[in-house]
Amino acid sequence: MSDQQPPSGSGTPAGFYPDSTGSMRWWDGAAWTEQTQQPAPGQVAMAAPPKKKHTVRNVLLGLVAVFVLFVGGCMALIGSAANEVSKSIDKEVAKDSEPGGPDNPLTISEGKAFSVSGFDYAAGWKVVDNEFGFDITKLKVTNNRDDKDSALVEIKFMKGSEVLALTDCTTEPVAVGQTTTLSCLSGDDLPAKYDKITINDTF
């Protein structure tokens, strides 16, 4: 009876069910047996119980699958955003550590050209003593960075690790490729002796 199909799949209770020949054959709950019988006159053959529908289960499984895909997509987006934030932070940390960055002042010499992170400062600048302290004059910068940006720097006069005097120098936002002169302000007296002059971005 191996060619016979079960009445309605696994889980069908034992009983007589119609087989492929039209006879009533005994199903023992797991397999067909050789025992058969003809239906009595007027007796309606017992049909196999209908297969259970699993609509609710299938809908729930579909919803779970959609939820898993949604959560997975959200996690991928969050992971991508976190990766971009991490790259941005790493870039800023690297920029802060470059010569002339906030964490790494660059030693400069009066009148000589220098560069800080894509801002190119021209030669010819001077340190000038005045009645209010001192001034940095003719300090011109060209923006060779990727975007419009302002120069916000600190120039310090150092003796060893001691800051003897400092001035803050700024510009308005400078377009890429444009040159402008920094405005410097200090109330400190110009020291008579110092070891070096340094410059660094303030942030």
Side-chain angles (χ1 to χ4, degrees), residues 43-60:
Q43 178 186 8
V44 177
M46 181 172 36
K51 292 184 179 180
K52 292 182 180 179
K53 292 185 179 178
H54 299 290
T55 306
V56 174
R57 181 194 68 183
N58 293 340
V59 168
L60 289 175

Side-chain angles (χ1 to χ4, degrees), residues 10-21:
S10 60
T12 302
F16 280 101
Y17 297 99
D19 66 9
S20 61
T21 65

Side-chain angles (χ1 to χ4, degrees), residues 132-190:
F132 302 108
F134 71 93
D135 196 7
I136 307 287
T137 63
K138 300 180 182 178
L139 183 58
K140 295 183 178 182
V141 65
T142 302
N143 179 7
N144 289 316
R145 294 180 176 176
D146 295 331
D147 300 302
K148 187 175 185 179
D149 204 354
S150 300
L152 303 168
V153 299
E154 213 171 41
I155 297 176
K156 299 175 185 172
F157 292 78
M158 308 286 296
K159 185 174 183 180
S161 60
E162 181 184 358
V163 178
L164 300 178
L166 66 83
T167 181
D168 291 308
C169 300
T170 62
T171 66
E172 292 297 319
V174 184
V176 175
Q178 192 173 56
T179 301
T180 190
T181 302
L182 283 86
S183 171
C184 301
L185 178 65
S186 177
D188 293 340
D189 292 328
L190 183 65

Side-chain angles (χ1 to χ4, degrees), residues 61-78:
L61 287 174
L63 290 174
V64 168
V66 169
F67 177 75
V68 168
L69 288 173
F70 174 76
V71 170
C74 288
M75 294 303 289
L77 287 175
I78 290 169

